Amino acid sequence: MPVYKNRKAKRNPWYIEFEAGKDPATGQRRRYKKRGYGTKKEAELALAKWRYELALMEEGSEQEHKGIDAALHSAKIDANTTMNFRVYANQWLEYRHHLSDNTRELYQSMLRTHLIPSLGTLSLRRITSSDIQQFVQDLHGKGLSDSTIKRIFSLLHAILQAAVKTELVSRNVAAVVEKPTIRRRPFTVWSLDQIKFFLHRLQEEGGRYAIVFALAILTGMRQGEILGLRWQDIDFDERVIRMQQTLTHRGTSFQSGGKTAKSIRVIALTQETIRWLQAHRREQFAQQPHAELVISKPEGGPLTPRVLHRLWQQILHQWQLPRITFHDLRHTHASILLQQGVHPKVVSERLGHSSVHMTLNTYSHLLPHLQHDMVEPLDHLLFSKT
């Protein structure tokens, strides 16, 4: 039993003691002991916290904490019934060392806004599948998108699965709840005439940040990729952008790489895009000779997503263009390529999709139109008498 009582002690007689694997340097068993608990319950709670945190470290950074032994998981105590979801979820996130800044910010937001307000005070062992089902229904009631609800549910599932692994709960109650599905949002893209009108207005009166919207529609880059773009990432001789970093959703920091492993890519640029970038660089360097970011505020520093959203809404209103999201400029770029007969695999690589399957799923509604373009040539090839 890892909880003991020193009967000779006059005050705080309870203490905890247990082993946690071997020291890789000496080969000796690591022993943990801490005294000074007034009651058995306090000692059990302290042991539960130690066992939980060490097991999380084992899961989150296996190489760094490989000395932690599986014996931590064998102790069975009642104290972990008092650990609530809020405590566990926050500490689970703390030990996710491999997360990108964007992903960590997203998880923090989902915990703070949705999961903890609804489930935070519940004991881990007392959360039921009915609680999870009601939680999902409440998310739908808030009017959240299908993709947002699925991401929140996936995070909840991962947290509870980690609790199973660390033996704080016996099973993952989220596993028996029907997973939220995504009904793909029908996005809107501009026509060729609308695109030409938009680019012409940008050149004439787009101002300091015209290049942001031009890059979105001419390259299909994501918002964070454009806002994190540096001049050193652009090879004007080769006419390519080498995507290396992105701006986080809050606009407070940069992260190396991108949304997925495929996001680190080379994006070919048209000659007109090169000329646009060169003109923007001349204007920017006249005011900021040492600017590193392609898009920066007059006082320096990155343009934040919040400010960009406000600028975008102003443009749509002033120029009386069909209301689409900034991200729909990326969809518009992809639709142009597919309608010009560019192979979906090439489009997928250019957009930095994780797979061509994602590209086909996203833009499948465009493909029937492309099939019609090949029907007549097929007839001509197979049935022509000449």
Side-chain angles (χ1 to χ4, degrees):
M1 178 178 176
V3 176
Y4 302 94
K5 184 177 182 180
N6 182 357
R7 299 188 181 280
K8 296 181 179 180
K10 295 182 179 180
R11 296 179 58 189
N12 301 325
W14 290 91
Y15 66 96
I16 58 176
E17 182 178 290
F18 61 98
E19 293 183 352
K22 293 182 179 181
D23 187 321
T26 64
Q28 299 293 318
R29 284 279 183 182
R30 284 175 169 160
R31 296 182 181 276
Y32 289 84
K33 179 186 288 187
K34 189 171 182 181
R35 301 180 181 274
Y37 300 103
T39 66
K40 180 180 180 181
K41 194 71 171 179
E42 288 178 7
E44 288 176 338
L45 285 171
L47 178 62
K49 184 177 180 181
W50 272 77
R51 171 174 168 265
Y52 157 71
E53 291 182 350
L54 289 173
L56 272 184
M57 286 192 291
E58 179 186 52
E59 178 192 1
S61 182
E62 185 173 334
Q63 291 183 347
E64 184 178 355
H65 303 283
K66 59 184 178 182
I68 299 172
D69 191 80
L72 287 170
H73 307 294
S74 62
K76 302 290 185 181
I77 59 174
D78 293 333
N80 52 26
T81 61
T82 64
M83 182 175 290
N84 65 31
F85 179 81
R86 178 184 61 81
V87 172
Y88 183 83
N90 283 329
Q91 293 192 27
W92 175 88
L93 182 58
E94 180 182 348
Y95 286 106
R96 305 274 74 73
H97 303 296
H98 62 284
L99 296 178
S100 68
D101 292 341
N102 266 341
T103 301
R104 184 172 298 279
E105 286 181 5
L106 178 63
Y107 285 0
Q108 288 171 339
S109 176
M110 290 191 293
L111 283 171
R112 181 177 62 254
T113 309
H114 302 291
L115 286 164
I116 289 176
S118 296
L119 305 172
T121 60
L122 297 180
S123 165
L124 277 175
R125 284 194 171 180
R126 292 174 182 167
I127 296 177
T128 66
S129 57
S130 296
D131 294 327
I132 306 299
Q133 187 62 63
Q134 183 61 52
F135 172 67
V136 173
Q137 291 178 359
D138 291 343
L139 293 179
H140 283 290
K142 293 179 180 179
L144 300 177
S145 68
D146 292 343
S147 59
T148 297
I149 293 173
K150 186 174 182 180
R151 280 196 294 267
I152 295 170
F153 179 84
S154 296
L155 175 59
L156 173 59
H157 187 281
I159 292 171
L160 293 179
Q161 189 60 38
V164 172
K165 186 173 180 179
T166 56
E167 297 186 4
L168 292 176
V169 295
S170 60
R171 67 189 184 102
N172 185 348
V173 293
V176 298
V177 175
E178 184 177 355
K179 295 180 180 179
T181 58
I182 297 179
R183 297 164 294 180
R184 192 164 295 280
R185 178 184 69 88
F187 55 81
T188 303
V189 298
W190 284 341
S191 68
L192 193 57
D193 287 340
Q194 289 166 339
I195 296 170
K196 290 180 176 179
F197 170 80
F198 175 67
L199 292 175
H200 175 73
R201 291 292 294 267
L202 278 180
Q203 288 178 319
E204 294 296 320
E205 52 189 289
R208 180 184 185 89
Y209 301 118
I211 191 65
V212 181
F213 309 107
L215 286 174
I217 206 164
L218 294 173
T219 68
M221 293 171 67
R222 299 179 178 93
Q223 174 181 280
E225 295 172 345
I226 296 173
L227 297 180
L229 183 65
R230 300 165 297 183
W231 288 114
Q232 69 184 57
D233 301 327
I234 303 174
D235 188 327
F236 285 94
D237 294 330
E238 296 294 329
R239 291 196 308 175
V240 297
I241 288 174
R242 293 183 172 86
M243 226 298 295
Q244 300 291 335
Q245 72 169 17
T246 59
L247 184 69
T248 59
H249 295 303
R250 290 187 180 181
T252 55
S253 61
F254 299 95
Q255 71 172 55
S256 298
K259 184 177 180 181
T260 68
K262 295 291 183 69
S263 297
I264 304 175
R265 63 197 188 280
V266 176
I267 304 169
L269 303 175
T270 66
Q271 189 61 56
E272 191 61 38
T273 307
I274 288 290
R275 283 194 286 266
W276 208 317
L277 283 165
Q278 289 172 332
H280 173 73
R281 183 171 60 174
R282 286 192 298 270
E283 294 178 6
Q284 185 189 49
F285 279 21
Q287 302 175 18
Q288 298 171 295
H290 305 293
E292 296 183 0
L293 292 172
V294 175
I295 295 93
S296 62
K297 296 182 292 187
E299 65 275 17
L303 181 70
T304 64
R306 180 173 296 181
V307 173
L308 176 61
H309 175 74
R310 189 162 59 245
L311 292 172
W312 176 239
Q313 295 303 313
Q314 290 173 0
I315 286 177
L316 293 177
H317 175 72
Q318 292 172 4
W319 297 353
Q320 297 184 344
L321 284 161
R323 301 191 73 82
I324 64 175
T325 68
F326 182 86
H327 193 75
D328 285 338
L329 293 178
R330 176 173 162 88
H331 293 316
T332 298
H333 177 77
S335 71
I336 295 171
L337 298 182
L338 291 170
Q339 288 168 0
Q340 293 300 312
V342 178
H343 195 285
K345 174 65 174 175
V346 177
V347 176
S348 178
E349 292 174 351
R350 184 170 177 82
L351 296 178
H353 281 168
S354 56
S355 69
V356 69
H357 177 72
M358 179 180 179
T359 308
L360 292 171
N361 276 350
T362 305
Y363 303 107
S364 59
H365 63 287
L366 297 175
L367 300 180
H369 301 287
L370 301 180
Q371 290 186 37
H372 286 300
D373 295 338
M374 68 84 177
V375 171
E376 290 187 8
L378 183 63
D379 273 353
H380 179 76
L381 177 65
L382 298 178
F383 299 105
S384 175
K385 296 181 180 179
T386 59

